[in-house]
Amino acid sequence: MKIAGRGLAERGPVRLFGILNLTPDSFFDGGRFINPEAALARALVLEAEGADALDVGGESTRPGSGSVSEKEEKERVLPVLKSLRGRISIPVSIDTSKAGVAEAALECGAAIINDVSALSADPRMASLAASSGVPVVLMHMRGTPGTMQKEPVYGDVVAEVLEYLLSRAAFAEKNGVAAEDIILDPGIGFGKTVEHNLALIRGFAPAVAGRFPVLIGHSRKNFIGRLLDNAPPEERLCGSLGAAAAASLSGAAFLRVHDVRATRELLKVLSAIRKEEPCPSSN
Ligand code: HH2
C-alpha cells in the first residue's frame, strides 16, 4: 500500500503519523479523546494539519503502565474507527499488540498495523499481518511497559536493536509478510536511557542503511523532558521539534508525532534548505 501517494520504501519528504490515543492514561493526550466525537474532531484536525497517516491506540504503553483487556481495547477503538470511515482520506494505523484488536480494526477500515511488540506478543499477529497484506511497524522494546525502564543496559544499543529488529523482520517474512510492507522502529523510550534514545535517533536509520524504512516515535517523550530540566510533557514541543529535525536528517522515513502542524512546518523549512523542495520565488 502507499502512504501519502508513495510506496513505503520510496524516498522523499518524511511522512508523519499523527497520534490519536483513545485512552484515559496516555502520558500526553490521555483522557482528551475518549469521547468518539472528540476523537473524530481530532482526527480531522490532524489530517488538515498534514498528517500522512493516523495512529490510533486504545492502550497506553507509557513506562509503568499495565495492560488492558482485549474487550476494553476494542470498545475504545472500534467505534472511532467506524466513525472515521469515509470521513478522512489518509490511512489509519492501529497501534496494538493484540491480533483480535488488529483484526477487528482492519475490518473497520484500519490499513496499517503498528505492533510495539514486533509480532512477539500474540502468536496470531504475524499470520494476520501476512493475510491482510497491510504495512506493519515492528518496534523494539526491552521488557514490558511495566518493567522496561528498570535500568536498561546495552553494550552497543544501535547494533543490538538493529539485530533484534532484523530478526523480527525475518520472522515476519517467514510468516508471509512482504518485505516491502515492513517498517522498523527502534522504540524510543521503550527500555532505554536518555543516552540510548539519543544514540538511536542519531544512528539507527544510518545503520539500517535503506534495507527497510525507519519510523521514529520521539514525540514529547521523557528523554526530552530530562534534557530540558525535567520539563513536563506540555512543555516539550520545541524539544520534540529538535528531535524531529535530527531524526529526519539521520534518514528516518516516518515520524510518529502529536504535533503535526509544527512538525510539518519544521520539515518544510529543513527540506527547502536541503533543496528537497522547490523554493518559492524570492524577494
Ligand atoms: N510510542 C508509543 C506508543 N506507540 N508505536 C511506535 N511504533 N513507536 C513508538 O515510539 C510508540 C508507539 C508511546 O507514546 P504515546 O502513544 O504518545 O503514549 P502512551 O503510550 O502513553 O499512549
Side-chain angles (χ1 to χ4, degrees):
M1 93 160 269
K2 291 177 184 288
I3 300 177
R6 300 204 304 276
L8 293 190
E10 280 174 64
R11 284 167 167 269
V14 174
R15 285 161 281 177
L16 301 181
F17 278 55
I19 300 172
L20 181 58
N21 283 315
L22 310 173
T23 59
D25 55 347
S26 288
F27 79 93
F28 178 59
D29 58 355
R32 290 208 255 158
F33 308 113
I34 300 181
N35 173 322
E37 279 170 28
L40 174 61
R42 179 66 182 161
L44 295 173
V45 167
L46 290 170
E47 180 178 40
E49 289 185 350
D52 298 298
L54 208 61
D55 190 37
V56 174
E59 176 178 39
S60 173
T61 46
R62 72 188 188 289
S65 60
S67 59
V68 299
S69 70
E70 179 168 324
K71 178 170 176 288
E72 169 111 43
E73 208 178 318
K74 283 183 178 167
E75 282 169 6
R76 291 178 181 177
V77 298
L78 298 184
V80 173
L81 293 177
K82 284 179 192 158
S83 79
L84 291 177
R85 263 199 153 150
R87 304 289 297 278
I88 61 168
S89 49
I90 53 175
V92 175
S93 149
I94 177 68
D95 183 354
T96 188
S97 297
K98 299 186 184 81
V101 175
E103 189 168 30
L106 294 172
E107 280 163 16
C108 292
I112 302 168
I113 297 173
N114 173 21
D115 184 354
V116 298
S117 83
L119 309 181
S120 72
D122 188 325
R124 281 209 310 122
M125 195 63 119
S127 57
L128 174 68
S131 63
S132 55
V134 298
V136 187
V137 181
L138 303 178
M139 198 199 80
H140 175 273
M141 176 173 6
R142 173 69 64 86
T144 64
T147 61
M148 64 193 179
Q149 284 308 103
K150 291 188 181 136
E151 296 178 33
V153 177
Y154 300 83
D156 177 337
V157 68
V158 171
E160 287 172 41
V161 169
L162 179 64
E163 186 186 358
Y164 171 79
L165 285 177
L166 290 178
S167 78
R168 296 315 295 166
F171 170 83
E173 286 187 63
K174 205 171 121 214
N175 280 275
V177 177
E180 60 266 26
D181 281 335
I182 295 174
I183 299 171
L184 301 187
D185 178 346
I188 301 301
F190 286 83
K192 280 103 187 174
T193 63
V194 174
E195 287 74 17
H196 295 144
N197 291 316
L198 301 180
L200 288 166
I201 291 173
R202 206 169 35 235
F204 183 70
V208 173
R211 281 171 280 188
F212 295 96
V214 168
L215 183 147
I216 297 287
H218 60 285
S219 190
R220 293 185 182 261
K221 283 186 177 167
N222 203 38
F223 77 100
I224 294 172
R226 294 278 304 282
L227 291 170
L228 300 176
D229 297 328
N230 293 321
E234 306 73 52
E235 292 168 23
R236 297 178 190 163
L237 172 59
C238 296
S240 292
L241 294 176
S248 161
L249 290 170
S250 83
F254 298 96
L255 302 178
R256 179 182 179 275
V257 298
H258 300 95
D259 306 284
V260 169
R261 182 187 298 279
T263 311
R264 179 61 68 214
E265 289 177 1
L266 167 109
L267 292 172
K268 210 165 179 184
V269 174
L270 203 59
S271 296
I273 292 168
R274 302 178 80 205
K275 298 194 171 179
E276 292 166 351
E277 276 195 17
C279 181
S281 59
S282 45
N283 269 337

